[in-house]
């Protein structure tokens, strides 16, 4: 939002809130006046109105202003109303169009991933994963992308209960090796499935986080192994970009990311 002389009082108030949100340490009236190009008297009058409504608060000892609880409450209410699938659809459509392969969205549930949305690309092949179906977490790109951000205790619990069943020659079945795989995923932000569940089919996946920093889903691009790895770097870049955009739409800030016990 840019300020100009024709802006209404409401626009000025919103701009002030944006400026306050940029500085976690609070902002003085002089800084706000300079940033908004408004006289200090006007800035002070708008701040007083916002304070009465609970959108702004002031620290008496420093006289600096902060975003108030009312603004935070409204923002959080908006985040709660954002639907995961709704937020993901346009980015999955782009991902399928960019790669020509099938783009998936999945969530974690009781040691498995559930496929909740998919978009076929121009070169998509028929795949076993259909909406509502469940697959193991340890041998799918989607599952590994989610589990990489679980706590060690949670991972150990899942492996203990579900095991690391071998589906193909490349399925990771060793517990320690699996933990190392998850560590690599956390470092790169990308999970790779090299025919670990279906012979001939591979995928590249990325995690999706919500506004609390919790991993809540994953997206992937999947297809015949040769197609996936012929353009691996390009596909990884696309997946990383789209997973980041979906997370951002859900209110995620990278510094908030947390490993949690599911």
């Amino acid at each position: 939002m840019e300020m100009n002389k024709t802006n209404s009082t409401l626009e000025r108030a919103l701009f002030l809130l944006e400026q306050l949100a940029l500085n976690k340490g609070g902002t003085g009236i002089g800084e706000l006046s300079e940033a908004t190009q408004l006289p200090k008297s006007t800035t002070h009058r708008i701040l007083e109105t916002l304070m009465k409504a609970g959108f702004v608060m002031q620290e008496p000892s420093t006289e600096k202003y902060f975003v108030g609880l009312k603004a935070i409450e409204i923002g959080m209410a908006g985040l709660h109303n954002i639907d995961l699938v709704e937020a993901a659809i346009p980015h999955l459509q782009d991902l399928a169009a960019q790669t020509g392969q099938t783009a998936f969205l999945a969530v974690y549930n009781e040691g498995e991933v559930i496929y909740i949305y998919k978009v076929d690309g121009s070169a998509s092949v028929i795949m076993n994963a259909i909406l509502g179906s469940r697959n193991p977490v340890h041998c799918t790109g989607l599952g590994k992308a989610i589990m990489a951000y679980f706590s060690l205790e949670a991972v150990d619990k899942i492996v203990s209960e579900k095991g690391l069943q071998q589906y193909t020659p490349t399925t990771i079945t060793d517990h320690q090796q699996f933990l190392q795989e998850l560590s690599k995923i956390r470092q790169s932000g990308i999970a790779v499935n090299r025919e670990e569940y279906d012979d001939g089919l591979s995928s590249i996946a990325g995690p999706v986080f919500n506004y609390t920093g919790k991993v809540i889903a994953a997206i992937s691009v999947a297809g015949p192994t040769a197609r996936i790895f012929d353009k691996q770097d390009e596909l990884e870049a696309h997946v990383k970009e789209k997973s980041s955009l979906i997370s951002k739409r859900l209110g995620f800030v990278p510094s908030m990311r947390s490993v949690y016990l599911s």
Side-chain angles (χ1 to χ4, degrees), residues 15 59 87 95 117 120 166 202 255:
F15 189 74
E59 173 58 49
L95 188 58
Y117 198 82
D120 289 324
Q166 183 163 12
S202 295
S255 61

Side-chain angles (χ1 to χ4, degrees), residues 120-150:
D120 289 324
S122 59
S124 293
V125 298
I126 297 176
M127 305 186 73
N128 293 331
I130 59 175
L131 298 187
S133 65
R134 292 171 173 264
N135 277 340
V137 288
H138 73 285
C139 55
T140 55
L142 291 160
K144 292 194 294 182
I146 294 172
M147 281 191 74
Y149 298 91
F150 282 10

Side-chain angles (χ1 to χ4, degrees), residues 79 88 90 137 175 184 216 233:
L79 289 171
V137 288
H175 193 164
K184 291 178 183 177
I216 59 167
D233 290 344

